[in-house]
Amino acid sequence: PEVLSFMLDALQNYESATPTPTAEPTPAPTPTVIEGKGDKILEDINLNGNLSTLHFVTSSSRHTAVKFHPASGGSYDLLVNTTEPYDGYTLLSSAGRLEITCSGNWSVEITPLGTTQETSFSGKGDFVTPLLVAPGDAWKIKNTGESNFIVKQIGSTGTDLLVNEIGSYEGEVISDISAGESCLFVITSSGEWSIEPIS
């Protein structure tokens, strides 16, 4: 609940600061990059009040996990859990610690979320979109991966789980996030995916 409150506050602050889309996307923020090998705890992850992305990369083919322990206490969030090489993005929404379990080399890149005027997105693997203004509440979503496919849309009034399926997916969904609301998408996928608004 406290993490969700932080996320909603951050999105509401963004929404009030930018009631209409700006002419240009914000410049790419400067990331914090940390490299290491083996099991490691990264202390004092401070986002300075910003929603941020965690880009984690490893070539290890053994079990790898990344846990985020919020500074406020409570249970951890399992951000990465795989036995394959990994290159993907997840969302960080509060200060805390990262616990990395990995037998090989790895890198962590933490970047504050930027904004975009784009409303259609595509990619491969786990991803977090920049902040956008929802053009509507209906979306067309596709996925070609074989593992769990999850799409969450997080807005200034709440979070909606749009898709939670195993394997390939193609469908149309209506979101609780309304047109004109600031939002972002968090995608979990092992394959290629796309999200686009239905006009």
Side-chain angles (χ1 to χ4, degrees):
E2 189 166 334
V3 172
L4 177 59
S5 175
F6 179 96
M7 291 164 58
L8 298 182
D9 287 347
L11 279 164
Q12 287 167 353
N13 290 339
Y14 163 72
E15 194 169 58
S16 62
T18 56
T20 57
T22 55
E24 296 293 335
T26 55
T30 302
T32 298
V33 180
I34 305 168
E35 296 181 341
K37 182 178 182 180
D39 297 353
K40 186 75 173 177
I41 296 174
L42 304 182
E43 301 278 1
D44 300 324
I45 302 298
N46 187 353
L47 308 181
N48 297 313
N50 297 310
L51 292 173
S52 301
T53 58
L54 170 72
H55 183 195
F56 184 80
V57 179
T58 183
S59 58
S60 174
S61 296
R62 297 185 177 182
H63 178 244
T64 296
V66 179
K67 299 175 183 177
F68 178 74
H69 299 263
S72 57
S75 60
Y76 64 80
D77 290 326
L78 184 60
L79 304 180
V80 178
N81 186 29
T82 183
T83 56
E84 303 288 338
Y86 182 87
D87 184 346
Y89 295 79
T90 61
L91 182 67
L92 291 180
S93 58
S94 66
R97 297 182 294 169
L98 286 172
E99 180 184 3
I100 298 171
T101 303
C102 182
S103 61
N105 295 318
W106 49 263
S107 67
V108 166
E109 186 175 285
I110 299 172
T111 309
L113 276 181
T115 63
T116 183
Q117 293 184 73
E118 298 295 328
T119 56
S120 296
F121 304 92
S122 61
K124 183 177 182 179
D126 296 348
F127 192 71
V128 179
T129 70
L131 293 164
L132 64 137
V133 176
D137 64 355
W139 301 88
K140 183 176 182 179
I141 301 174
K142 296 181 182 179
N143 179 61
T144 60
E146 297 180 357
S147 300
N148 200 20
F149 176 57
I150 300 173
V151 178
K152 293 179 183 178
Q153 188 180 15
I154 301 173
S156 52
T157 58
T159 299
D160 196 2
L161 179 63
L162 300 183
V163 181
N164 186 10
E165 299 285 346
I166 301 294
S168 296
Y169 174 85
E170 182 172 355
E172 299 179 352
V173 297
I174 294 177
S175 172
D176 291 337
I177 309 300
S178 303
E181 187 172 341
S182 301
C183 65
L184 60 96
F185 291 95
V186 179
I187 299 100
T188 301
S189 174
S190 61
E192 297 181 352
W193 53 265
S194 65
I195 300 171
E196 60 183 85
I198 300 173
S199 55

